[in-house]
Amino acid sequence: MDLQLLTICLLTFAINFVGALAYAARIAGVRTQRIALAFALFNVLVLLSRLSNGFLGPFLAKRIESALLADSGDGLLFDFRLVLAAATAASVLGTLFIPTAQRWFSRAIGDFQRHRSVLTLVKVAASPRGLAFLWRAGTPPRAAHLRGLCGLNGVGFPVIALNVLAQALLGVGVLASLYAGYLVPEYRVTASQLSAIVNGFATILLFVLIDPQLSVMTDDVVSGSVGEGVFRRTVVLLALSRVCGTVLAQVLFVPAAWLVVACAHLM
């Protein structure tokens, strides 16, 4: 693995790890009754994630251009699969990290209520006392969170299945379009632009069909009509479906790339 590929994998890892922690922000918001503030603090991490995502595309594009110029793209497919594996590893670690991140978010919400400043919050977290709390707050997932997953009365399994599909499409959207540009270099600009269509469809699934269901359930927990235990198990199931989505992306990657090639020819 060269430095460029390592950088791409690390950026992919960071993006997916932060995405998995979104579920921890929801739990912290429910626990503290400060849902809006929980998401405002989480958006600070999202900004860092999107900054990483801004560098990811050019790095991948440069790798493909270098392979085309050197006529040495035999290992390119393995490189892309390694990037997808980094996404899976980040999703798994992020899922395991949810209990710890939930405690961090809960503490951050309380500190922000007092200081009303993100910079002060970062300063407090970086202090010896803050770092000691971050270490002490670490906790592994409990088996109790996995019990009763098949008997949830929260979001339905069609929503879970749609989340798997949406995460898979988000995983292959940019990668498949860039790899399609390697398969048909004469259409690589067109192929790279088609990623917006794939990601757009996945975004519609997330924000029109999936996220509203979880948002309604969050409000139900706050109002007391749904138990927090059910909500936490639902979050676990959604996090696991995110992991499954990154695995499904491995299966869809090559077919998706050839589909982009076909669409590029039809444009």
Side-chain angles (χ1 to χ4, degrees), residues 5-267:
L5 182 57
L6 177 62
T7 302
I8 292 171
C9 289
L10 289 176
L11 289 173
T12 302
F13 187 95
I15 293 166
N16 285 272
F17 183 73
V18 171
L21 295 186
Y23 300 114
R26 286 188 180 272
I27 297 174
V30 168
R31 279 286 181 89
T32 61
Q33 304 292 299
R34 294 286 188 270
I35 297 175
L37 181 54
F39 278 98
L41 293 177
F42 176 72
N43 284 337
V44 176
L45 291 179
V46 171
L47 285 174
L48 297 177
S49 171
R50 289 179 178 174
L51 180 63
S52 299
N53 200 26
F55 286 101
L56 182 60
F59 271 121
L60 287 167
K62 176 64 180 298
R63 194 167 188 84
I64 290 176
E65 295 288 349
S66 299
L68 289 172
L69 290 174
D71 194 22
S72 59
D74 295 338
L76 204 57
L77 178 58
F78 175 78
D79 293 348
F80 275 81
R81 293 205 178 279
L82 195 60
V83 172
L84 289 172
T88 301
S91 298
V92 171
L93 185 61
T95 300
L96 296 175
F97 214 72
I98 285 176
T100 298
Q102 175 257 310
R103 295 186 179 189
W104 288 357
F105 276 118
S106 297
R107 176 65 176 268
I109 289 170
D111 287 345
F112 188 83
Q113 284 288 119
R114 291 191 298 271
H115 303 297
R116 306 296 176 102
S117 170
V118 174
L119 293 179
T120 303
L121 180 62
V122 173
K123 184 179 179 180
V124 171
S127 67
R129 184 178 178 182
L131 293 174
F133 169 78
L134 294 178
W135 177 260
R136 292 195 309 270
T139 179
R142 299 177 182 175
H145 297 157
L146 300 176
R147 295 170 188 162
L149 290 180
C150 296
L152 286 174
N153 56 357
V155 298
F157 279 100
V159 175
I160 302 299
L162 286 174
N163 193 49
V164 173
L165 178 60
Q167 298 298 337
L169 292 176
L170 286 174
V172 301
V174 174
L175 298 182
S177 298
L178 290 173
Y179 188 67
Y182 167 75
L183 296 175
V184 282
E186 63 273 19
Y187 288 110
R188 61 179 178 272
V189 176
T190 303
S192 66
Q193 296 303 309
L194 286 171
S195 65
I197 298 177
V198 179
N199 288 342
F201 180 69
T203 302
I204 290 173
L205 287 178
L206 283 174
F207 289 100
V208 176
L209 299 178
I210 300 169
D211 195 64
Q213 295 290 329
L214 189 57
S215 297
V216 169
M217 190 176 183
T218 304
D219 290 337
D220 289 341
V221 176
V222 172
S223 65
S225 58
V226 172
E228 188 178 325
V230 174
F231 179 74
R232 291 182 69 94
R233 289 194 297 272
T234 301
V235 166
V236 171
L237 196 56
L238 285 170
L240 292 175
S241 70
R242 180 186 180 91
V243 176
C244 293
T246 61
V247 175
L248 180 61
Q250 292 276 11
V251 179
L252 297 180
F253 176 64
V254 173
W258 283 110
L259 181 60
V260 170
V261 169
C263 291
H265 279 99
L266 293 175
M267 289 292 179

